[in-house]
Amino acid sequence: MTYNLFTTDRLQPPRVSNALASCLHVEPNSVDVADVDADQDNRNWDALALCDYSPVLGDVSLTLDIFVQDAVPQQPTEPEFASRFAVAAQTVVLYPAEEHLPSAYWLVTPAGLVTRARLLASDDERPEYSIDAVEAAVPQLPDIRVMQLPEIVREQHVPTPTTSEFIHATELLRKTQESPTVPVIVDETGSHLYQSRAYLAEWERMVRRMESGWHPTGNYPVELYCEALLARDRIEQLPEELSRPVADLLRKSVGQLDEAFKKCTAPDDTWATGVGVPGSFADLSERGWWWHRKPLTLPWDKN
């Protein structure tokens, strides 16, 4: 098992060794800890746990690469291990999140706070790391801004059954086209059908989150909410560019989502100004009816 951690404190090797022993329920003398750039000749390569550490610059101070032998009976998951290590070493710990984003991390404090964090690395030969933002206030890092991280929300999977039904129905249409007088339904990147799927999926992902009470965190960035409304704008324009059968299918699909959206919202012509939506987006006078409603539970008021 391997673990990859950052710590905000520059821990000394004995402190790291004792913390690892505590996390894994092994004796401290069965843990080997060494600076990755130091002499490796005297290392105990048969140790139950091997830890390479490197000092780093910025808001984090150490990176730890930990390998645990199969002989160790208790090998917790990385989230559980990070939480144990934060307590044992009395330091703030960051570990990589499951999303495929270099900046996506989880942060754990010794008191048990767990939150998302955006960790950035400079392009220098020796990178400098900055904790750019967190989703909950961290007492040990009072100067780090607290905000929702939209890139995390974008990466999270949300089922889109209505979009899947639309895709299936349009595939059947394409396969059953036999009349030479019927325009061919083009399905390629950038085509109107391709755009229909993309915008419908974006609209549905937001609506499904709203239906679920903004699962899993209860938060949803206002910028992503506006992006979904813009996708709905584009859906409104697409039927004119589509063949009649596809346009009918699109109207049916978006109609189902619109009904769900209405059930989770209430009429409001001022919400955009109230939450600081920039520029022309805040002027709702000439926008579609979906811009004139706001969620019954505002997900951007959580922090």
Side-chain angles (χ1 to χ4, degrees):
M1 185 72 175
T2 59
Y3 305 99
N4 303 106
L5 310 178
F6 283 101
T7 66
T8 56
D9 294 306
R10 185 154 295 184
L11 310 175
Q12 295 302 309
R15 188 170 166 187
V16 174
S17 180
N18 288 333
L20 290 174
S22 174
C23 293
L24 298 169
H25 302 289
V26 297
E27 294 298 324
N29 60 9
S30 64
V31 176
D32 180 87
V33 177
D35 187 330
V36 70
D37 294 323
D39 185 3
Q40 306 292 303
D41 290 341
N42 295 322
R43 297 197 64 175
N44 176 15
W45 298 108
D46 294 324
L48 292 176
L50 293 160
C51 175
D52 295 334
Y53 73 84
S54 296
V56 292
L57 302 176
D59 294 331
V60 289
S61 297
L62 281 182
T63 177
L64 306 176
D65 295 319
I66 302 154
F67 173 74
V68 180
Q69 303 278 10
D70 292 339
V72 177
Q74 296 194 34
Q75 300 195 23
T77 63
E78 190 160 52
E80 176 61 25
F81 182 85
S83 295
R84 290 185 188 181
F85 191 88
V87 173
Q90 285 296 291
T91 187
V92 173
V93 170
L94 290 89
Y95 64 93
E98 55 273 17
E99 291 83 16
H100 297 295
L101 293 169
S103 63
Y105 276 77
W106 286 98
L107 181 149
V108 187
T109 73
L113 171 69
V114 180
T115 187
R116 305 303 297 252
R118 180 190 291 150
L119 183 66
L120 304 178
S122 70
D123 293 328
D124 301 318
E125 183 175 351
R126 187 183 180 192
E128 181 170 349
Y129 292 88
S130 62
I131 303 175
D132 181 67
V134 290
E135 288 197 334
V138 179
Q140 294 88 342
L141 304 169
D143 297 329
I144 304 299
R145 61 177 173 166
V146 179
M147 61 174 287
Q148 297 167 16
L149 303 179
E151 67 271 23
I152 300 299
V153 178
R154 285 193 180 96
E155 286 290 316
Q156 291 169 341
H157 174 69
V158 178
T160 53
T162 300
T163 302
S164 296
E165 290 176 8
F166 172 76
I167 292 171
H168 178 67
T170 54
E171 280 297 306
L172 290 178
L173 275 178
R174 293 183 68 244
K175 291 177 180 178
T176 57
Q177 279 186 322
E178 297 178 357
S179 172
T181 62
V182 177
V184 174
I185 301 173
V186 178
D187 185 15
E188 58 187 29
T189 302
S191 68
H192 297 306
L193 178 55
Y194 178 92
Q195 292 173 344
S196 298
R197 287 199 302 265
Y199 296 140
L200 188 65
E202 186 169 357
W203 179 236
E204 182 169 12
R205 280 192 292 268
M206 189 279 290
V207 171
R208 299 305 180 196
R209 281 188 180 276
M210 185 186 294
E211 283 186 314
S212 72
W214 307 106
H215 179 81
T217 64
N219 294 335
Y220 197 80
V222 68
E223 65 186 87
L224 295 192
Y225 183 79
C226 289
E227 287 178 12
L229 297 180
L230 287 171
R232 181 61 183 84
D233 289 346
R234 296 183 177 113
I235 292 171
E236 193 72 4
Q237 301 161 2
L238 277 169
E240 297 180 5
E241 311 294 338
L242 298 167
S243 67
R244 177 68 177 273
V246 175
D248 289 344
L249 288 171
L250 181 60
R251 289 190 185 96
K252 178 183 176 182
S253 297
V254 77
Q256 294 171 358
L257 298 175
D258 287 349
E259 288 304 310
F261 176 78
K262 290 175 182 177
K263 291 177 182 178
C264 298
T265 58
D268 192 301
D269 287 328
T270 62
W271 69 268
T273 302
V275 297
V277 173
S280 60
F281 293 147
D283 181 9
L284 306 184
S285 59
E286 297 185 4
R287 292 189 171 273
W289 61 263
W290 44 93
W291 286 89
H292 295 264
R293 303 180 68 88
K294 73 174 182 181
L296 297 176
T297 301
L298 296 182
W300 42 81
D301 278 354
K302 294 294 182 182
N303 289 322

Short mmCIF file of all heavy atoms in Angstrom, two decimals, residues 62-116:
data_model
loop_
_atom_site.label_atom_id
_atom_site.label_comp_id
_atom_site.label_asym_id
_atom_site.label_seq_id
_atom_site.Cartn_x
_atom_site.Cartn_y
_atom_site.Cartn_z
N LEU A 62 6.39 19.69 3.77
CA LEU A 62 6.96 18.38 3.47
C LEU A 62 6.05 17.61 2.55
O LEU A 62 4.82 17.73 2.62
CB LEU A 62 7.13 17.54 4.76
CG LEU A 62 8.29 17.79 5.71
CD1 LEU A 62 8.22 16.78 6.84
CD2 LEU A 62 9.64 17.70 5.01
N THR A 63 6.65 16.81 1.68
CA THR A 63 5.91 15.79 0.96
C THR A 63 6.40 14.44 1.45
O THR A 63 7.61 14.22 1.61
CB THR A 63 6.08 15.92 -0.56
OG1 THR A 63 5.41 14.86 -1.22
CG2 THR A 63 7.54 15.91 -0.98
N LEU A 64 5.45 13.53 1.72
CA LEU A 64 5.77 12.21 2.24
C LEU A 64 5.27 11.15 1.26
O LEU A 64 4.09 11.14 0.91
CB LEU A 64 5.11 11.98 3.60
CG LEU A 64 5.36 13.01 4.71
CD1 LEU A 64 4.55 12.66 5.95
CD2 LEU A 64 6.85 13.07 5.05
N ASP A 65 6.16 10.28 0.84
CA ASP A 65 5.81 9.14 0.00
C ASP A 65 6.04 7.88 0.84
O ASP A 65 7.18 7.56 1.18
CB ASP A 65 6.65 9.10 -1.27
CG ASP A 65 6.38 10.29 -2.17
OD1 ASP A 65 5.20 10.66 -2.29
OD2 ASP A 65 7.34 10.85 -2.72
N ILE A 66 4.96 7.19 1.17
CA ILE A 66 5.00 6.11 2.15
C ILE A 66 4.63 4.79 1.49
O ILE A 66 3.62 4.70 0.78
CB ILE A 66 4.02 6.41 3.30
CG1 ILE A 66 4.38 7.76 3.96
CG2 ILE A 66 4.01 5.29 4.32
CD1 ILE A 66 3.22 8.45 4.63
N PHE A 67 5.45 3.77 1.72
CA PHE A 67 5.18 2.43 1.22
C PHE A 67 5.07 1.49 2.40
O PHE A 67 5.96 1.44 3.26
CB PHE A 67 6.28 1.95 0.27
CG PHE A 67 6.12 0.52 -0.13
CD1 PHE A 67 5.14 0.13 -1.04
CD2 PHE A 67 6.93 -0.47 0.42
CE1 PHE A 67 4.98 -1.20 -1.40
CE2 PHE A 67 6.79 -1.80 0.06
CZ PHE A 67 5.80 -2.16 -0.86
N VAL A 68 3.97 0.74 2.44
CA VAL A 68 3.73 -0.18 3.55
C VAL A 68 3.76 -1.61 3.02
O VAL A 68 3.08 -1.94 2.04
CB VAL A 68 2.36 0.11 4.22
CG1 VAL A 68 2.12 -0.85 5.38
CG2 VAL A 68 2.31 1.56 4.71
N GLN A 69 4.55 -2.44 3.68
CA GLN A 69 4.69 -3.84 3.26
C GLN A 69 3.38 -4.61 3.48
O GLN A 69 2.58 -4.29 4.35
CB GLN A 69 5.80 -4.52 4.07
CG GLN A 69 7.15 -3.84 3.98
CD GLN A 69 7.92 -4.22 2.72
OE1 GLN A 69 7.38 -4.85 1.81
NE2 GLN A 69 9.18 -3.85 2.66
N ASP A 70 3.20 -5.66 2.68
CA ASP A 70 2.00 -6.49 2.80
C ASP A 70 1.90 -7.17 4.16
O ASP A 70 0.80 -7.54 4.59
CB ASP A 70 1.98 -7.56 1.70
CG ASP A 70 1.79 -6.97 0.32
OD1 ASP A 70 1.28 -5.83 0.24
OD2 ASP A 70 2.15 -7.63 -0.67
N ALA A 71 3.03 -7.30 4.84
CA ALA A 71 3.03 -7.97 6.15
C ALA A 71 2.32 -7.15 7.22
O ALA A 71 1.98 -7.70 8.28
CB ALA A 71 4.46 -8.27 6.57
N VAL A 72 2.10 -5.87 6.99
CA VAL A 72 1.39 -5.03 7.97
C VAL A 72 -0.10 -5.34 7.87
O VAL A 72 -0.72 -5.13 6.83
CB VAL A 72 1.65 -3.54 7.70
CG1 VAL A 72 0.84 -2.68 8.67
CG2 VAL A 72 3.14 -3.23 7.82
N PRO A 73 -0.70 -5.86 8.95
CA PRO A 73 -2.10 -6.32 8.85
C PRO A 73 -3.11 -5.18 8.71
O PRO A 73 -4.14 -5.35 8.06
CB PRO A 73 -2.30 -7.09 10.17
CG PRO A 73 -1.28 -6.54 11.10
CD PRO A 73 -0.10 -6.16 10.26
N GLN A 74 -2.84 -4.04 9.33
CA GLN A 74 -3.79 -2.93 9.28
C GLN A 74 -3.29 -1.87 8.30
O GLN A 74 -2.35 -1.14 8.60
CB GLN A 74 -3.98 -2.32 10.67
CG GLN A 74 -4.60 -3.29 11.67
CD GLN A 74 -5.09 -2.57 12.91
OE1 GLN A 74 -5.55 -1.44 12.86
NE2 GLN A 74 -4.98 -3.24 14.06
N GLN A 75 -3.93 -1.83 7.13
CA GLN A 75 -3.57 -0.85 6.11
C GLN A 75 -4.82 -0.05 5.74
O GLN A 75 -5.60 -0.46 4.89
CB GLN A 75 -2.97 -1.56 4.90
CG GLN A 75 -1.72 -2.35 5.24
CD GLN A 75 -0.92 -2.75 4.01
OE1 GLN A 75 -1.02 -2.12 2.96
NE2 GLN A 75 -0.11 -3.79 4.14
N PRO A 76 -5.01 1.08 6.39
CA PRO A 76 -6.22 1.86 6.15
C PRO A 76 -6.23 2.48 4.76
O PRO A 76 -5.20 2.55 4.08
CB PRO A 76 -6.16 2.95 7.23
CG PRO A 76 -4.70 3.08 7.55
CD PRO A 76 -4.13 1.70 7.38
N THR A 77 -7.41 2.92 4.34
CA THR A 77 -7.51 3.67 3.09
C THR A 77 -6.74 4.99 3.24
O THR A 77 -6.43 5.42 4.37
CB THR A 77 -8.96 3.97 2.76
OG1 THR A 77 -9.52 4.81 3.80
CG2 THR A 77 -9.78 2.69 2.64
N GLU A 78 -6.46 5.63 2.12
CA GLU A 78 -5.70 6.88 2.20
C GLU A 78 -6.44 7.95 3.01
O GLU A 78 -5.80 8.64 3.81
CB GLU A 78 -5.38 7.40 0.80
CG GLU A 78 -4.38 8.55 0.83
CD GLU A 78 -3.67 8.76 -0.50
OE1 GLU A 78 -4.38 8.88 -1.52
OE2 GLU A 78 -2.43 8.82 -0.52
N PRO A 79 -7.76 8.14 2.85
CA PRO A 79 -8.44 9.13 3.70
C PRO A 79 -8.31 8.83 5.19
O PRO A 79 -8.05 9.73 6.00
CB PRO A 79 -9.90 9.05 3.24
CG PRO A 79 -9.82 8.57 1.83
CD PRO A 79 -8.66 7.61 1.81
N GLU A 80 -8.49 7.55 5.57
CA GLU A 80 -8.37 7.18 6.97
C GLU A 80 -6.94 7.35 7.46
O GLU A 80 -6.69 7.83 8.57
CB GLU A 80 -8.83 5.73 7.17
CG GLU A 80 -8.66 5.21 8.60
CD GLU A 80 -9.44 5.99 9.64
OE1 GLU A 80 -10.47 6.62 9.28
OE2 GLU A 80 -9.02 6.00 10.80
N PHE A 81 -5.98 6.95 6.62
CA PHE A 81 -4.57 7.10 7.00
C PHE A 81 -4.21 8.57 7.21
O PHE A 81 -3.53 8.92 8.17
CB PHE A 81 -3.68 6.48 5.92
CG PHE A 81 -2.22 6.54 6.24
CD1 PHE A 81 -1.64 5.55 7.03
CD2 PHE A 81 -1.42 7.58 5.78
CE1 PHE A 81 -0.28 5.62 7.35
CE2 PHE A 81 -0.07 7.64 6.09
CZ PHE A 81 0.50 6.65 6.88
N ALA A 82 -4.66 9.44 6.30
CA ALA A 82 -4.37 10.87 6.42
C ALA A 82 -4.95 11.43 7.71
O ALA A 82 -4.31 12.23 8.40
CB ALA A 82 -4.92 11.62 5.21
N SER A 83 -6.17 11.01 8.05
CA SER A 83 -6.79 11.49 9.29
C SER A 83 -5.99 11.01 10.51
O SER A 83 -5.77 11.78 11.45
CB SER A 83 -8.23 10.99 9.38
OG SER A 83 -9.02 11.56 8.36
N ARG A 84 -5.57 9.75 10.49
CA ARG A 84 -4.78 9.23 11.61
C ARG A 84 -3.46 9.97 11.73
O ARG A 84 -3.02 10.32 12.84
CB ARG A 84 -4.52 7.74 11.40
CG ARG A 84 -5.72 6.84 11.53
CD ARG A 84 -5.27 5.37 11.42
NE ARG A 84 -6.40 4.45 11.36
CZ ARG A 84 -6.26 3.13 11.28
NH1 ARG A 84 -5.04 2.59 11.25
NH2 ARG A 84 -7.33 2.34 11.23
N PHE A 85 -2.82 10.21 10.58
CA PHE A 85 -1.51 10.86 10.61
C PHE A 85 -1.64 12.30 11.12
O PHE A 85 -0.77 12.78 11.87
CB PHE A 85 -0.87 10.84 9.23
CG PHE A 85 0.58 11.26 9.23
CD1 PHE A 85 1.58 10.32 9.44
CD2 PHE A 85 0.94 12.58 9.06
CE1 PHE A 85 2.92 10.70 9.46
CE2 PHE A 85 2.27 12.97 9.08
CZ PHE A 85 3.25 12.02 9.29
N ALA A 86 -2.69 13.00 10.71
CA ALA A 86 -2.90 14.38 11.17
C ALA A 86 -2.99 14.43 12.69
O ALA A 86 -2.44 15.34 13.34
CB ALA A 86 -4.16 14.97 10.54
N VAL A 87 -3.68 13.45 13.27
CA VAL A 87 -3.82 13.40 14.73
C VAL A 87 -2.50 13.01 15.38
O VAL A 87 -2.03 13.65 16.34
CB VAL A 87 -4.92 12.41 15.14
CG1 VAL A 87 -4.95 12.22 16.65
CG2 VAL A 87 -6.27 12.89 14.63
N ALA A 88 -1.86 11.97 14.86
CA ALA A 88 -0.63 11.45 15.47
C ALA A 88 0.51 12.46 15.40
O ALA A 88 1.29 12.59 16.35
CB ALA A 88 -0.23 10.14 14.80
N ALA A 89 0.62 13.17 14.29
CA ALA A 89 1.72 14.12 14.11
C ALA A 89 1.32 15.53 14.50
O ALA A 89 2.18 16.43 14.50
CB ALA A 89 2.19 14.10 12.66
N GLN A 90 0.03 15.75 14.78
CA GLN A 90 -0.49 17.07 15.13
C GLN A 90 -0.10 18.10 14.07
O GLN A 90 0.54 19.13 14.35
CB GLN A 90 0.00 17.50 16.51
CG GLN A 90 -0.71 16.78 17.64
CD GLN A 90 -2.21 17.11 17.69
OE1 GLN A 90 -2.60 18.23 18.01
NE2 GLN A 90 -3.05 16.13 17.37
N THR A 91 -0.52 17.82 12.85
CA THR A 91 -0.24 18.72 11.73
C THR A 91 -1.40 18.65 10.74
O THR A 91 -2.17 17.68 10.73
CB THR A 91 1.07 18.33 11.02
OG1 THR A 91 1.38 19.33 10.03
CG2 THR A 91 0.96 16.97 10.34
N VAL A 92 -1.51 19.66 9.91
CA VAL A 92 -2.48 19.65 8.82
C VAL A 92 -1.91 18.82 7.68
O VAL A 92 -0.74 18.97 7.30
CB VAL A 92 -2.79 21.08 8.35
CG1 VAL A 92 -3.68 21.06 7.10
CG2 VAL A 92 -3.45 21.87 9.46
N VAL A 93 -2.73 17.93 7.14
CA VAL A 93 -2.31 17.00 6.09
C VAL A 93 -3.15 17.22 4.84
O VAL A 93 -4.37 17.44 4.93
CB VAL A 93 -2.46 15.53 6.57
CG1 VAL A 93 -2.26 14.55 5.43
CG2 VAL A 93 -1.49 15.25 7.70
N LEU A 94 -2.52 17.16 3.68
CA LEU A 94 -3.23 17.17 2.41
C LEU A 94 -2.91 15.89 1.66
O LEU A 94 -1.76 15.43 1.68
CB LEU A 94 -2.84 18.38 1.55
CG LEU A 94 -3.31 19.76 2.03
CD1 LEU A 94 -2.26 20.37 2.96
CD2 LEU A 94 -3.54 20.70 0.85
N TYR A 95 -3.93 15.33 0.97
CA TYR A 95 -3.70 14.16 0.15
C TYR A 95 -4.53 14.27 -1.13
O TYR A 95 -5.57 14.95 -1.15
CB TYR A 95 -4.03 12.87 0.90
CG TYR A 95 -5.47 12.69 1.31
CD1 TYR A 95 -6.37 12.00 0.49
CD2 TYR A 95 -5.95 13.21 2.51
CE1 TYR A 95 -7.69 11.82 0.87
CE2 TYR A 95 -7.27 13.04 2.90
CZ TYR A 95 -8.13 12.35 2.07
OH TYR A 95 -9.44 12.19 2.44
N PRO A 96 -4.10 13.64 -2.21
CA PRO A 96 -4.76 13.82 -3.52
C PRO A 96 -6.20 13.37 -3.50
O PRO A 96 -6.54 12.32 -2.92
CB PRO A 96 -3.92 12.97 -4.47
CG PRO A 96 -2.61 12.79 -3.78
CD PRO A 96 -2.91 12.77 -2.33
N ALA A 97 -7.06 14.14 -4.15
CA ALA A 97 -8.47 13.79 -4.29
C ALA A 97 -8.64 12.81 -5.45
O ALA A 97 -7.71 12.56 -6.22
CB ALA A 97 -9.32 15.03 -4.52
N GLU A 98 -9.84 12.26 -5.57
CA GLU A 98 -10.10 11.24 -6.58
C GLU A 98 -10.28 11.82 -7.97
O GLU A 98 -10.15 11.11 -8.97
CB GLU A 98 -11.34 10.43 -6.19
CG GLU A 98 -12.58 11.25 -5.95
CD GLU A 98 -12.71 11.77 -4.52
OE1 GLU A 98 -11.69 11.78 -3.79
OE2 GLU A 98 -13.82 12.17 -4.14
N GLU A 99 -10.57 13.11 -8.06
CA GLU A 99 -10.74 13.73 -9.38
C GLU A 99 -9.41 13.82 -10.12
O GLU A 99 -8.36 13.95 -9.50
CB GLU A 99 -11.35 15.13 -9.24
CG GLU A 99 -12.79 15.16 -8.78
CD GLU A 99 -12.93 15.05 -7.28
OE1 GLU A 99 -11.94 15.26 -6.57
OE2 GLU A 99 -14.04 14.74 -6.81
N HIS A 100 -9.48 13.78 -11.45
CA HIS A 100 -8.26 13.84 -12.26
C HIS A 100 -7.86 15.30 -12.49
O HIS A 100 -7.82 15.80 -13.61
CB HIS A 100 -8.48 13.11 -13.59
CG HIS A 100 -8.76 11.66 -13.43
ND1 HIS A 100 -7.85 10.76 -12.92
CD2 HIS A 100 -9.88 10.92 -13.70
CE1 HIS A 100 -8.37 9.55 -12.89
NE2 HIS A 100 -9.60 9.62 -13.34
N LEU A 101 -7.56 15.97 -11.38
CA LEU A 101 -7.13 17.37 -11.44
C LEU A 101 -5.88 17.51 -10.58
O LEU A 101 -5.88 17.14 -9.41
CB LEU A 101 -8.22 18.29 -10.88
CG LEU A 101 -9.53 18.40 -11.65
CD1 LEU A 101 -10.57 19.13 -10.83
CD2 LEU A 101 -9.29 19.15 -12.96
N PRO A 102 -4.80 18.05 -11.13
CA PRO A 102 -3.57 18.18 -10.35
C PRO A 102 -3.76 19.02 -9.09
O PRO A 102 -3.04 18.83 -8.10
CB PRO A 102 -2.60 18.86 -11.32
CG PRO A 102 -3.15 18.59 -12.68
CD PRO A 102 -4.64 18.53 -12.52
N SER A 103 -4.71 19.94 -9.10
CA SER A 103 -4.89 20.85 -7.97
C SER A 103 -5.87 20.33 -6.93
O SER A 103 -6.04 20.96 -5.87
CB SER A 103 -5.39 22.21 -8.47
OG SER A 103 -6.66 22.08 -9.09
N ALA A 104 -6.54 19.21 -7.18
CA ALA A 104 -7.62 18.73 -6.31
C ALA A 104 -7.06 17.92 -5.15
O ALA A 104 -6.45 16.85 -5.36
CB ALA A 104 -8.62 17.91 -7.11
N TYR A 105 -7.27 18.41 -3.94
CA TYR A 105 -6.78 17.73 -2.74
C TYR A 105 -7.86 17.75 -1.66
O TYR A 105 -8.77 18.57 -1.67
CB TYR A 105 -5.52 18.44 -2.19
CG TYR A 105 -4.26 17.98 -2.88
CD1 TYR A 105 -3.94 18.45 -4.16
CD2 TYR A 105 -3.40 17.07 -2.29
CE1 TYR A 105 -2.80 18.02 -4.82
CE2 TYR A 105 -2.25 16.64 -2.95
CZ TYR A 105 -1.96 17.11 -4.20
OH TYR A 105 -0.84 16.67 -4.85
N TRP A 106 -7.72 16.80 -0.73
CA TRP A 106 -8.44 16.83 0.54
C TRP A 106 -7.49 17.35 1.61
O TRP A 106 -6.28 17.08 1.55
CB TRP A 106 -8.92 15.44 0.92
CG TRP A 106 -10.07 14.93 0.12
CD1 TRP A 106 -10.02 14.08 -0.95
CD2 TRP A 106 -11.45 15.23 0.33
NE1 TRP A 106 -11.28 13.84 -1.43
CE2 TRP A 106 -12.19 14.53 -0.66
CE3 TRP A 106 -12.15 16.01 1.25
CZ2 TRP A 106 -13.57 14.60 -0.75
CZ3 TRP A 106 -13.54 16.08 1.16
CH2 TRP A 106 -14.23 15.38 0.18
N LEU A 107 -8.03 18.08 2.56
CA LEU A 107 -7.24 18.61 3.67
C LEU A 107 -7.86 18.12 4.97
O LEU A 107 -9.08 18.14 5.14
CB LEU A 107 -7.24 20.15 3.62
CG LEU A 107 -6.44 20.89 4.69
CD1 LEU A 107 -5.90 22.21 4.12
CD2 LEU A 107 -7.28 21.17 5.94
N VAL A 108 -6.99 17.66 5.89
CA VAL A 108 -7.43 17.13 7.19
C VAL A 108 -6.65 17.84 8.29
O VAL A 108 -5.43 18.02 8.19
CB VAL A 108 -7.17 15.61 7.28
CG1 VAL A 108 -7.78 15.05 8.55
CG2 VAL A 108 -7.70 14.88 6.07
N THR A 109 -7.35 18.21 9.36
CA THR A 109 -6.68 18.84 10.50
C THR A 109 -6.62 17.87 11.67
O THR A 109 -7.37 16.88 11.72
CB THR A 109 -7.43 20.11 10.95
OG1 THR A 109 -8.65 19.73 11.61
CG2 THR A 109 -7.75 21.02 9.76
N PRO A 110 -5.75 18.13 12.67
CA PRO A 110 -5.68 17.26 13.84
C PRO A 110 -6.99 17.17 14.61
O PRO A 110 -7.25 16.18 15.29
CB PRO A 110 -4.58 17.90 14.69
CG PRO A 110 -3.75 18.68 13.72
CD PRO A 110 -4.71 19.17 12.68
N ALA A 111 -7.84 18.21 14.49
CA ALA A 111 -9.12 18.21 15.20
C ALA A 111 -10.20 17.44 14.45
O ALA A 111 -11.33 17.32 14.94
CB ALA A 111 -9.58 19.65 15.44
N GLY A 112 -9.88 16.94 13.25
CA GLY A 112 -10.84 16.13 12.51
C GLY A 112 -11.59 16.84 11.41
O GLY A 112 -12.43 16.24 10.75
N LEU A 113 -11.30 18.13 11.17
CA LEU A 113 -11.93 18.82 10.05
C LEU A 113 -11.43 18.23 8.74
O LEU A 113 -10.22 18.05 8.55
CB LEU A 113 -11.59 20.32 10.10
CG LEU A 113 -12.01 21.14 8.87
CD1 LEU A 113 -13.52 21.26 8.80
CD2 LEU A 113 -11.36 22.51 8.90
N VAL A 114 -12.36 17.94 7.83
CA VAL A 114 -12.02 17.44 6.50
C VAL A 114 -12.68 18.35 5.48
O VAL A 114 -13.89 18.59 5.54
CB VAL A 114 -12.51 15.99 6.29
CG1 VAL A 114 -12.14 15.50 4.89
CG2 VAL A 114 -11.91 15.06 7.35
N THR A 115 -11.89 18.89 4.56
CA THR A 115 -12.45 19.78 3.55
C THR A 115 -11.67 19.65 2.26
O THR A 115 -10.57 19.08 2.22
CB THR A 115 -12.44 21.25 4.04
OG1 THR A 115 -13.15 22.07 3.11
CG2 THR A 115 -11.02 21.77 4.18
N ARG A 116 -12.27 20.19 1.19
CA ARG A 116 -11.58 20.20 -0.10
C ARG A 116 -10.60 21.37 -0.13
O ARG A 116 -10.84 22.43 0.48
CB ARG A 116 -12.57 20.35 -1.25
CG ARG A 116 -13.68 19.32 -1.28
CD ARG A 116 -13.14 17.90 -1.34
NE ARG A 116 -12.40 17.63 -2.53
CZ ARG A 116 -12.84 16.86 -3.54
NH1 ARG A 116 -14.02 16.29 -3.47
NH2 ARG A 116 -12.09 16.63 -4.58
#
